[in-house]
Amino acid sequence: MKLTTKFFSEFTGFEKIICAIILFIYVNNLFLDIMRIDAAQYASISLEMLQNHSYLQVYDLQNDYLDKPPLLFWISSLSLKTFGICNFAYKIGAFLFLLFSLYAIYKFAANYYNDKIAKNAVLIFATCQAFFLMSNDIRTDGILTSCVIISIWLITEYWHKNKLIYLFFAAVFTSFAMMAKGPIGIIAVLMPVGIHLLYQKQWKKIFNLSWLFYILIVAVLLIPMTYGLYTQFDLHPEKVVNGKLHQSGIYFYYWLQSFGRITGENVWDNGLPWHFFIGSISWDFFPWILILYAGLFVQIKKVVTAKNQKVTEIITLTGFILLFALLSLSKYKLPHYIFVTLPFASIICAVYIDKLTQKQHLLKSSTYF
């Protein structure tokens, strides 16, 4: 409660009204009918999991299910048990993750920039089209997106305060990201963080034994899901799953489902070109897309032209660009795949808006004098 009060105290009265309106719209979304097709299927799986008490083995209409990891089903099953079978119960868990992601964006941006940029980043992410969709059409992407930015914030918080508890919870949310969408969860966290450390030449942080602690926590938390995959699929090579005999659940989850879409091992291929996401993000990040383009240009130019003085952070820039490029390599693409890049995009936009505001103040000051 103290954290929430402190968080909102940084907003002006007008900004609080905007936040209240946004919150009202998204809370209303929780009571709307579940959308077809994916969300309806996931809600059905969650209900079946609750009714059968089968939490480690996942079934869809009594058939073996091997596609998405189980975190969304676990969360939704728990809320269905708590609140009853209704739209609200299925949606509330993922929605709470999204709300926490707003706090994480604020804290991350405030650590590296200032409160104004942090507030703007929150408002930008909370008002983009993708956030509206994630709070209504509940899939795994909202949880993945939330857990990635929360993990990154907690890692940077560990750097600033040197308290191991932050790294512990960063590992917890990284494992959640993996249990929401797959190995992309840990890649989306460690890739921008690692590149930032290399860029800053912070060798002590790179070769710190605390990373072993982080990996250990992630690995331990993945044991229940991994055990469920092993007992449901690897112990039963006679099963035909997704049209394939001898399908290893562990191999499917840790390699085939994610990396197999890049290597071509995965049969899923909808034939979309590499530049598909360049077009789809115009809708996903509406109405902030033009500001994002300008902000990206300015940030890239700043990094390229910087000589002895390093930029404040490149986690957001590399997090957006490299994840965007990596996802574009997939042979199977859907618009919501790049939602995980949008918290980074929101901070990039907020930094650019602050730069424009500073220029405007300087212009007014020079005109006045």
Side-chain angles (χ1 to χ4, degrees):
M1 189 69 182
K2 184 178 179 182
L3 288 174
T4 306
T5 304
K6 186 177 179 181
F7 172 61
F8 279 107
S9 67
E10 302 293 342
F11 289 76
T12 66
F14 178 70
E15 289 167 341
K16 288 178 182 177
I17 292 173
I18 293 176
C19 290
I21 293 172
I22 293 169
L23 184 62
F24 174 79
I25 293 171
Y26 293 143
V27 169
N28 179 68
N29 283 349
L30 299 178
F31 299 92
L32 299 179
D33 286 343
I34 296 170
M35 294 180 66
R36 299 171 64 186
I37 298 175
D38 287 353
Q41 181 190 25
Y42 300 158
S44 174
I45 292 173
S46 302
L47 179 59
E48 189 170 352
M49 179 178 284
L50 174 65
Q51 293 172 336
N52 296 336
H53 304 288
S54 176
Y55 295 100
L56 296 183
Q57 289 80 36
V58 184
Y59 297 94
D60 181 15
L61 301 178
Q62 299 182 355
N63 296 311
D64 288 301
Y65 176 84
L66 185 61
D67 189 1
K68 296 296 185 293
L71 183 62
L72 174 60
F73 311 138
W74 289 344
I75 294 170
S76 299
S77 294
L78 177 62
S79 57
L80 287 169
K81 182 178 181 179
T82 305
F83 300 107
I85 301 171
C86 59
N87 295 316
F88 173 85
Y90 170 68
K91 295 181 178 184
I92 184 61
F95 180 66
L96 292 176
F97 272 90
L98 285 168
L99 289 183
F100 192 19
S101 75
L102 296 178
Y103 180 78
I105 288 172
Y106 178 88
K107 294 296 291 183
F108 174 87
N111 280 341
Y112 283 102
Y113 299 100
N114 57 54
D115 290 339
K116 184 179 178 182
I117 290 175
K119 289 187 292 186
N120 286 339
V122 169
L123 293 173
I124 288 168
F125 185 54
T127 54
C128 73
Q129 174 62 27
F131 195 97
F132 180 85
L133 188 61
M134 284 188 288
S135 67
N136 183 24
D137 185 16
I138 301 296
R139 308 189 192 193
T140 56
D141 303 278
I143 299 177
L144 170 68
T145 301
S146 302
C147 290
V148 165
I149 192 61
I150 292 168
S151 298
I152 289 175
W153 159 58
L154 288 169
I155 289 173
T156 59
E157 200 75 11
Y158 166 67
W159 293 343
H160 284 87
K161 298 182 178 178
N162 199 29
K163 292 183 179 180
L164 203 60
I165 189 68
Y166 289 109
L167 192 63
F168 171 80
F169 281 108
V172 170
F173 280 96
T174 300
S175 70
F176 286 170
M178 295 184 70
M179 287 187 280
K181 194 75 175 182
I184 186 66
I186 195 168
I187 292 172
V189 172
L190 293 185
M191 183 171 64
V193 165
I195 292 174
H196 170 79
L197 292 179
L198 288 171
Y199 173 77
Q200 297 285 353
K201 297 181 180 180
Q202 296 181 347
W203 310 117
K204 288 184 178 180
K205 289 180 180 177
I206 293 174
F207 299 104
N208 196 307
L209 291 178
S210 60
W211 290 116
L212 296 178
F213 170 77
Y214 170 87
I215 296 297
L216 176 64
I217 299 300
V218 172
V220 169
L221 292 174
L222 290 175
I223 289 175
M225 182 194 68
T226 306
Y227 176 78
L229 290 168
Y230 178 75
T231 56
Q232 186 174 4
F233 299 104
D234 294 70
L235 283 182
H236 298 280
E238 76 282 358
K239 288 184 176 181
V240 178
V241 184
N242 298 335
K244 186 177 180 180
L245 188 64
H246 307 301
Q247 176 66 74
S248 166
I250 294 175
Y251 176 75
F252 177 88
Y253 171 76
Y254 285 103
W255 179 263
L256 188 61
Q257 175 69 336
S258 297
F259 302 110
R261 298 189 182 193
I262 298 175
T263 63
E265 294 175 72
N266 195 312
V267 296
W268 287 90
D269 186 345
N270 55 1
L272 293 173
W274 63 268
H275 53 78
F276 170 75
F277 290 132
I278 297 176
S280 70
I281 196 174
S282 300
W283 177 86
D284 296 329
F285 203 53
F286 180 84
W288 306 104
I289 187 61
L290 295 180
I291 296 176
L292 173 60
Y293 290 150
L296 277 172
F297 175 78
V298 171
Q299 288 277 70
I300 293 171
K301 181 180 177 182
K302 188 175 181 180
V303 171
V304 172
T305 57
K307 295 181 180 178
N308 296 327
Q309 188 174 3
K310 303 290 185 180
V311 299
T312 305
E313 56 86 19
I314 62 167
I315 294 173
T316 50
L317 184 63
T318 56
F320 178 83
I321 293 177
L322 295 182
L323 278 176
F324 194 95
L326 182 64
L327 292 166
S328 295
L329 294 176
S330 174
K331 291 181 170 56
Y332 188 82
K333 303 179 185 69
L334 291 174
H336 55 269
Y337 286 2
I338 59 164
F339 287 178
V340 67
T341 68
L342 300 186
F344 304 122
S346 301
I347 297 171
I348 292 170
C349 286
V351 171
Y352 178 69
I353 290 172
D354 186 67
K355 186 179 181 67
L356 289 180
T357 305
Q358 289 178 5
K359 284 185 177 180
Q360 190 176 30
H361 284 316
L362 287 173
L363 183 61
K364 284 183 178 181
S365 299
S366 61
T367 303
Y368 178 78
F369 288 108

